[in-house]
């Protein structure tokens, strides 16, 4: 062990022992002297930004292999046993490298290059959650590395953005709104237009603290109010074309596929008043496929599992699902034009079955304990809003960035 590394390590541990400074403990923890593998220490260091490191270790906040767990617990146990006279070198069994004899006189500022380290042998990772969701599988399909960061390391995400809070508040407003208007119709247009204003205001008040500033609240609320009026335009036209009743709002979707439990929530479930068939409605406040053909292609190429999952969950519950629709609520300047996929027409049952089979296949892989590597996304656009971009050294770069590197 390099003597200066070992000295810094011991100093950090004593500084923590005397002052309780979590940052010094984390620095010691990340030192090669700690005995904890580098990537495990890096992941726990992220968690330690939010809670004391030793607490995070004793709760085993991040799933790791048995060997890594042992290293973590050994570190924690040693650290807890430190007393004023403890010899840290002894406690951590640090063997110092003998000084290298040299004929050259030492010059101040000289340094010696360290021996190259051999790469750590990859070890397997197993999904630790008992339940799966379509969004977890979507994340895996988009970028296995992102899935690893989010669902295995449980690395801390950035706090919610104003865009995501806009989505949460808008969903809440529509849930309440359809509680009062389960059967929209042209005759109710004026009343619906007035009432939705109140529901949007109330929802944004409830989520006010999630926004960074009150200006942000007002801007996003105005955007939602404009979009809500466009949503009423669509609701009036749609209810005139094919009258329907909202039979479910934010309802749980549970499904067991080959021993794997899936959970999720469906934004809205409609029943066609004339045919009795059911439509699954998903509100979208982010970017989505712009045409039914584009969405179908995402399902066909296993890049989106959300609506197929809802389809199979409701079919298992006994519904005859004839339509799957995404309702875009992002842009206040354009009409609300749902991306509506007719089951058996735009998308075939065979394609939905393939999506279901692929879901089982992915879950089998994730729980096999045989995965040792999680490749990064191939498409750089996946990284644009990725919370882990700063920690992801191998991420793909846009053509223009590559040119500049
Ligand atoms: S930055 Fe890109 S490659 Fe890295 S985890 Fe995120 S999406 Fe995947």
């Amino acid at each position: 062990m390099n003597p200066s590394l070992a000295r810094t390590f011991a100093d950090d541990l004593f500084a923590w022992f005397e002052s309780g400074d979590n940052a010094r403990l984390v620095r010691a923890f990340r030192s090669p002297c700690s005995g904890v593998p580098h990537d495990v220490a890096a992941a726990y260091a992220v968690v330690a930004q939010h809670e004391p490191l030793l607490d995070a270790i004793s709760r085993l906040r991040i799933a790791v292999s048995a060997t890594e767990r042992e290293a973590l617990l050994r570190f924690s146990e040693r650290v807890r046993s430190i007393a004023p006279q403890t010899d840290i070198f002894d406690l951590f069994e640090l063997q110092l490298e003998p000084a290298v004899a040299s004929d050259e006189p030492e010059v101040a500022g000289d340094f010696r290059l360290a021996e190259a380290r051999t790469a750590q042998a990859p070890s397997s990772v197993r999904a630790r959650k008992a339940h799966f969701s379509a969004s977890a599988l979507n994340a895996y399909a988009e970028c296995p590395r992102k899935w690893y960061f989010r669902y295995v390391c449980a690395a801390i995400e950035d706090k919610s953005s104003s865009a995501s809070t806009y989505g949460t508040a808008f969903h809440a407003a529509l849930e309440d709104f359809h509680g009062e208007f389960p059967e929209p119709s042209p005759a109710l247009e004026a009343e619906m237009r007035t009432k939705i204003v109140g529901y949007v205001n109330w929802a944004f008040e409830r989520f006010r603290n999630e926004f960074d500033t009150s200006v942000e609240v007002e801007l996003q609320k105005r955007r939602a109010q404009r979009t809500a009026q466009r949503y009423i335009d669509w609701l009036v036209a749609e209810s005139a074309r094919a009258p329907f009743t909202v039979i479910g709002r934010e309802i749980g979707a549970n499904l067991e596929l080959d021993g794997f439990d899936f959970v999720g929530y469906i934004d809205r479930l409609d029943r066609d008043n004339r045919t009795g068939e059911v439509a699954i409605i998903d509100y979208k406040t982010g970017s989505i496929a712009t045409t039914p053909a584009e969405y179908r292609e995402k399902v066909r190429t296993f890049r989106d599992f959300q609506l197929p999952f809802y389809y199979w969950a409701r079919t298992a519950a006994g519904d005859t699902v004839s339509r799957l629709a995404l309702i875009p609520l992002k842009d206040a300047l354009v009409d609300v034009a749902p991306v509506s996929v007719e089951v058996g027409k735009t998308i075939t049952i065979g394609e939905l079955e393939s999506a279901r089979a692929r879901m089982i296949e992915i879950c089998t892989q994730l729980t096999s304990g045989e995965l040792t590597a999680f490749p990064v996304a191939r498409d750089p656009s996946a990284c644009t809003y990725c919370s882990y971009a700063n920690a992801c050294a191998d991420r793909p770069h846009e053509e223009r960035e590559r040119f500049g590197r």
Side-chain angles (χ1 to χ4, degrees):
M1 180 59 60
N2 178 312
S4 95
L5 258 181
R7 256 195 313 277
T8 311
F9 176 69
D11 287 349
D12 281 337
L13 285 182
F14 272 121
W16 163 77
F17 178 70
E18 280 167 4
S19 67
D21 182 354
N22 196 45
R24 297 296 293 270
L25 180 62
V26 171
R27 197 165 82 156
F29 175 65
R30 297 197 64 178
S31 160
C33 306
S34 71
V36 178
H38 173 76
D39 52 344
V40 175
Y44 267 88
V46 175
V47 176
Q49 290 170 8
H50 301 268
E51 67 178 292
L53 176 63
L54 295 181
D55 290 356
I57 294 176
S58 54
R59 290 189 190 124
L60 286 173
R61 287 285 311 277
I62 296 174
V64 289
S65 70
T67 328
E68 292 162 341
R69 186 166 56 241
E70 215 174 277
L72 278 170
L73 295 177
R74 193 168 48 242
F75 172 82
S76 168
E77 200 180 301
R78 283 169 165 171
V79 162
R80 286 181 197 278
S81 73
I82 293 175
Q85 303 307 325
T86 301
D87 182 334
I88 299 287
F89 290 62
D90 254 11
L91 182 63
F92 280 84
E93 298 165 20
L94 302 178
Q95 306 287 331
L96 298 189
E97 288 166 4
V100 179
S102 165
D103 297 339
E104 303 273 331
E106 271 205 13
V107 178
D110 266 8
F111 60 89
R112 194 155 44 85
L113 294 177
E115 286 297 315
R117 301 275 166 205
T118 45
Q120 194 186 352
S123 58
S124 59
V125 169
R126 183 192 296 269
R128 65 196 170 117
K129 282 199 151 196
H131 292 96
F132 287 90
S133 65
S135 43
L137 298 198
N138 284 356
Y140 187 74
E142 185 182 40
C143 173
R145 185 73 56 91
K146 187 193 276 186
W147 179 88
Y148 171 74
F149 281 142
R150 182 175 297 162
Y151 295 97
V152 178
C153 300
I156 306 300
E157 287 245 353
D158 290 343
K159 72 193 258 314
S160 57
S161 63
S162 77
S164 65
T165 309
Y166 166 85
T168 310
F170 209 150
H171 274 69
L174 292 185
E175 185 188 354
D176 293 347
F177 171 78
H178 281 296
E180 182 172 352
F181 294 98
E183 212 166 335
S185 72
L188 296 173
E189 179 175 353
E191 196 184 343
M192 291 195 297
R193 285 197 188 282
T194 312
K195 287 290 181 73
I196 203 162
V197 173
Y199 283 117
V200 168
N201 282 339
W202 168 232
F204 278 76
E205 275 316 303
R206 269 158 61 199
F207 291 95
R208 167 172 282 280
N209 293 338
E210 306 285 318
F211 290 97
D212 284 340
T213 62
S214 25
V215 173
E216 199 62 44
V217 181
E218 289 311 312
L219 288 174
Q220 296 295 352
K221 192 169 31 175
R222 282 183 200 188
R223 173 183 164 208
Q225 290 292 12
R226 286 198 297 269
T227 311
Q229 292 302 320
R230 289 185 182 270
Y231 176 75
I232 300 290
D233 294 344
W234 168 74
L235 214 50
V236 169
E238 183 63 9
S239 57
R241 186 188 70 80
F244 64 90
T245 306
V246 175
I247 55 171
R249 297 166 290 128
E250 284 293 324
I251 57 167
N254 303 314
L255 180 66
E256 197 232 286
L257 290 180
D258 233 18
F260 299 109
D261 289 324
F262 279 81
V263 290
Y265 288 90
I266 298 175
D267 290 339
R268 206 177 90 202
L269 213 55
D270 295 351
R271 173 162 287 133
D272 189 303
N273 291 354
R274 292 187 287 220
T275 65
E277 290 178 338
V278 166
I280 291 168
I281 309 292
D282 197 42
Y283 303 132
K284 291 290 181 199
T285 51
S287 301
I288 55 168
T290 49
T291 63
E294 195 187 321
Y295 185 73
R296 173 196 173 211
E297 194 51 20
K298 287 180 92 174
V299 172
R300 235 180 40 77
T301 50
F302 309 130
R303 286 178 291 135
D304 193 300
F305 296 99
Q306 193 172 28
L307 293 185
F309 159 53
Y310 293 160
Y311 172 83
W312 289 113
R314 289 316 303 173
T315 301
D319 287 337
T320 304
V321 180
S322 63
R323 197 160 60 90
L324 310 167
L326 303 173
I327 302 200
L329 299 170
K330 180 184 176 193
D331 196 338
L333 302 176
V334 297
D335 288 342
V336 169
V339 176
S340 186
V341 178
E342 305 289 331
V343 177
K345 293 179 190 154
T346 330
I347 197 163
T348 66
I349 300 286
E351 285 164 340
L352 291 167
E353 279 170 348
S354 300
R356 182 177 60 182
R358 180 67 187 141
M359 287 165 76
I360 296 170
E361 224 172 82
I362 294 178
C363 293
T364 309
Q365 266 177 15
L366 295 179
T367 51
S368 67
E370 287 167 9
L371 288 178
T372 55
F374 296 88
V376 293
R378 285 203 215 121
D379 179 359
S381 68
C383 313
T384 312
Y385 298 109
C386 178
S387 311
Y388 310 107
N390 286 340
C392 184
D394 304 331
R395 70 181 190 276
H397 290 275
E398 299 278 3
E399 215 41 70
R400 63 175 189 281
E401 283 181 33
R402 273 183 243 156
F403 179 72
R405 280 162 74 82

